[in-house]
Amino acid sequence: MAQINPYLHFNGNAEEAFMFYKSVFGGEFAMISRFKDMAMPDQPFSENEANKIMHIALPIGKNDVLMASDVPDVLGQVSENENRIKISISAESKDEADKLFKGLSSGGTIEMPIADSPWGSYFGMFRDKFGIEWMVDFDPKYNGEL
């Protein structure tokens, strides 16, 4: 079956964001590469961009990978308040949902506090301190599996 792995873009703070995500999810980075690692003699990156993240990947759970990069200056800025996507996490328990919600929403803006929903799951939404939007859900009917 196909797998979906979110890929996020940041304005120079991808490493900071992913250190935060790693502190919540745990695990180790599968890959971290910087623009200086990919520079070619005819297309060098500026000193300002050399240490920015070209690609970072954090495995989450058994089959998922959260990935990101910083946007090179030449491509402009990402509008952090105009994200049109939410990352949905299906937790395996209410306790895990609470832990993830509390950890990831720290310093962010809660849109919907985590609570029992009218549709029967335990659900909450927020924008984290980096502007990324998340939904955390535990549905006992699926026992954490979709």
Side-chain angles (χ1 to χ4, degrees), residues 41-61:
D42 60 330
Q43 293 180 331
F45 288 98
S46 71
E47 192 173 313
N48 181 47
E49 291 187 307
N51 283 313
K52 289 182 180 177
I53 299 296
M54 169 74 89
H55 179 75
I56 191 166
L58 178 63
I60 298 173

Side-chain angles (χ1 to χ4, degrees), residues 24-145:
V24 175
F25 289 109
E28 296 298 324
F29 296 120
M31 180 178 198
I32 301 176
S33 61
R34 300 181 186 283
F35 284 108
K36 68 182 179 184
D37 300 330
M38 305 296 171
M40 295 178 280
D42 60 330
Q43 293 180 331
F45 288 98
S46 71
E47 192 173 313
N48 181 47
E49 291 187 307
N51 283 313
K52 289 182 180 177
I53 299 296
M54 169 74 89
H55 179 75
I56 191 166
L58 178 63
I60 298 173
K62 296 176 186 171
N63 301 312
D64 302 313
V65 181
L66 183 62
M67 298 177 281
S69 68
D70 287 313
V71 176
D73 293 341
V74 70
L75 296 178
Q77 293 275 304
V78 173
S79 178
E80 293 175 348
N81 291 321
E82 293 298 323
N83 289 337
R84 295 295 181 238
I85 186 170
K86 290 190 186 303
I87 299 172
S88 178
I89 303 172
S90 297
E92 293 184 351
S93 68
K94 235 179 180 177
D95 287 342
E96 182 183 43
D98 283 333
K99 177 183 177 243
L100 293 171
F101 189 92
K102 181 180 178 187
L104 289 168
S105 66
S106 176
T109 304
I110 294 174
E111 297 171 351
M112 178 184 286
I114 194 159
D116 291 327
S117 71
W119 55 88
S121 72
Y122 187 63
F123 179 83
M125 292 190 313
F126 57 91
R127 182 184 294 263
D128 73 20
K129 64 184 176 182
F130 300 101
I132 304 301
E133 297 181 58
W134 298 82
M135 298 184 300
V136 176
D137 183 70
F138 168 66
D139 191 332
K141 294 185 301 257
Y142 296 109
N143 194 22
E145 296 178 14

